[in-house]
């Protein structure tokens, strides 16, 4: 439903907003009266902007490769021209499925550049701004994979463990300010993730998955309530709780059953 633009609106920045969880996060922010700066690497971000403008929000689309320092700086420069950021969703991320011994090193290092290095770079700029301004909200898209070893998705799992730890530590550092930090921990979600990660022959890709719109609504709610983290879906909540009590040898086997190449047919 189109909204009336009546006065200054809060501003939300969402990375990885051309598809999946990021597009749905951007939609939820827009539906709650936020203007948007959305970012992704490819041209899909232009179509996403057109779609999101139908909500009545003002939408700036930035096409930038966040796996590079140049791309993150381009996004930040654009954001600074627009205004103070009320909410930031650091969400862009990719996986690389398959055996570590077979995977392409360059693809895995690019994953680290996006899922880890760009997260730290963007957070460095934006957390500083928010703390100086005395308010703001940041949502980090982590994963339930952050809770356990992730065989056949090893570098990805490690990247999300980094994001989870980073988000939790920052949350504590800024607890005496009005800056809120929340970690979103989705389980398998119905997006382009598995295809991009070459995982279409795995149980994780073919099994039941969450709806990205449901994940985004839960994330928005948790961020607005100031929660430290949110795991979406009953099955994922059980898995996340089990991961905290079971030995890692056991959780690694659980994960392997979902992500081993060919597991879809077993
Ligand atoms: N789907 C799941 O099961 C699942 C579970 C847990 C966590 N997550 C996390 O959720 C987040 C969103 O993923 P998704 O599932 O929604 O997958 P998705 O539909 O593939 O979305 C990924 C988004 O990241 C963007 N992106 C990828 N590489 C980029 C780069 N170098 N620079 C800028 N943007 C880039 C993509 O834009 P382009 O297409 O333009 O590259 C796209 O907008 C990721 O952090 C992922 O790790 C997903």
């Amino acid at each position: 439903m189109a909204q009336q633009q009546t006065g200054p609106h809060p501003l939300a920045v969402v990375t990885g907003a051309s598809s999946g969880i990021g597009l749905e996060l951007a939609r939820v922010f827009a539906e709650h009266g936020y203007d948007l700066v959305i970012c992704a690497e490819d041209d899909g971000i232009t179509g996403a902007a057109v779609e999101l403008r139908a909500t009545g929000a003002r939408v700036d689309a930035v096409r930038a490769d966040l796996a590079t320092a140049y791309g993150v700086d381009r996004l930040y420069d654009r954001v600074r021209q627009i205004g103070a950021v009320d909410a930031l969703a650091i969400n862009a991320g990719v996986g690389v499925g398959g055996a570590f011994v077979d995977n392409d090193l360059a693809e895995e290092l690019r994953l680290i550049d996006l899922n880890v290095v760009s997260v730290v770079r963007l957070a460095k700029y934006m957390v500083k701004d928010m703390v100086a301004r005395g308010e703001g909200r940041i949502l980090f898209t982590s994963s339930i994979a952050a809770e356990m070893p992730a065989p056949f998705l090893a570098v990805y799992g490690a990247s999300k463990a980094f994001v989870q730890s980073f988000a939790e530590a920052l949350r504590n550092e800024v607890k005496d300010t009005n800056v809120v930090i929340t970690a979103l921990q989705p389980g398998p979600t119905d997006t382009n993730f598995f295809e991009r990660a070459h995982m279409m022959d795995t149980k994780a890709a073919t099994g039941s998955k969450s709806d990205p719109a449901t994940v985004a609504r839960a994330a928005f709610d948790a961020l607005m309530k100031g929660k430290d983290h949110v795991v979406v879906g009953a099955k994922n909540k059980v898995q996340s709780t089990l991961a905290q009590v079971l030995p890692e040898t056991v959780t690694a086997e659980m994960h392997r059953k979902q992500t081993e190449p060919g597991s879809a047919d077993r």
Side-chain angles (χ1 to χ4, degrees):
M1 206 205 327
Q3 287 172 336
Q4 291 293 319
Q5 294 273 16
T6 47
H9 289 209
L11 179 66
V13 177
V14 182
T15 71
S18 60
S19 64
I21 296 168
L23 175 58
E24 297 305 327
L25 279 171
R27 200 188 313 280
V28 181
F29 278 113
E31 286 169 357
H32 285 82
Y34 284 74
D35 287 335
L36 296 170
V37 178
I38 57 171
C39 176
E41 184 189 4
D42 297 322
D43 198 35
I45 199 66
T46 315
V50 171
E51 196 181 322
L52 291 164
R53 281 184 197 117
T55 62
R58 186 198 145 125
V59 183
D60 279 87
V62 179
R63 207 177 146 181
D65 179 1
L66 296 177
T68 66
Y70 175 76
V72 178
D73 288 356
R74 232 167 75 76
L75 170 62
Y76 181 60
D77 286 347
R78 184 75 194 107
V79 168
R80 272 201 306 185
Q81 285 163 12
I82 293 169
V85 176
D86 298 283
L88 165 67
I90 304 185
N91 166 80
V94 290
V96 177
F100 181 70
V101 291
D102 297 333
N103 287 346
D104 178 34
L105 176 62
E107 204 182 349
E108 289 174 329
L109 293 178
R110 189 170 153 77
L111 179 163
I112 294 170
D113 285 338
L114 179 65
N115 296 13
V116 176
V117 178
S118 86
V119 170
V120 175
R121 191 180 297 276
L122 192 56
K124 177 68 79 179
Y125 300 154
M126 298 276 201
V127 176
K128 272 188 164 184
D129 287 354
M130 285 182 180
V131 168
R133 189 173 159 226
E135 61 181 336
R137 295 177 189 275
I138 304 184
L139 181 78
F140 286 90
T141 303
S142 168
S143 170
I144 56 165
E147 309 272 7
M148 63 197 91
F152 301 105
L153 204 49
V155 178
Y156 174 78
S159 78
K160 291 300 178 180
F162 180 100
V163 172
Q164 185 71 25
S165 169
F166 181 56
E168 286 173 10
L170 285 187
R171 180 180 169 91
N172 180 272
E173 283 191 29
V174 301
K175 71 183 164 70
D176 297 327
T177 72
N178 282 326
V179 178
V180 166
I181 294 184
T182 301
L184 166 63
Q185 295 185 263
T189 305
D190 195 6
T191 69
N192 297 333
F193 176 86
F194 296 99
E195 189 160 3
R196 264 182 107 134
H198 326 296
M199 291 178 67
M200 295 311 283
D201 63 343
T202 66
K203 252 196 182 56
T206 55
S208 71
K209 293 197 266 313
S210 305
D211 170 12
T214 306
V215 172
R217 279 195 297 273
F220 181 85
D221 201 42
L223 183 67
M224 292 303 139
K225 286 184 176 148
K227 295 199 169 159
D228 60 340
H229 76 287
V230 54
V231 178
V232 187
K235 195 174 141 199
N236 298 325
K237 282 185 179 139
V238 170
Q239 211 180 336
S240 164
T241 308
L242 281 176
Q244 293 175 29
V245 291
L246 292 173
E248 284 170 349
T249 46
V250 175
T251 54
E253 282 300 326
M254 274 167 46
H255 199 284
R256 180 187 184 113
K257 286 193 170 60
Q258 296 295 314
T259 48
E260 188 166 13
S263 55
D265 301 324
R266 278 176 222 141

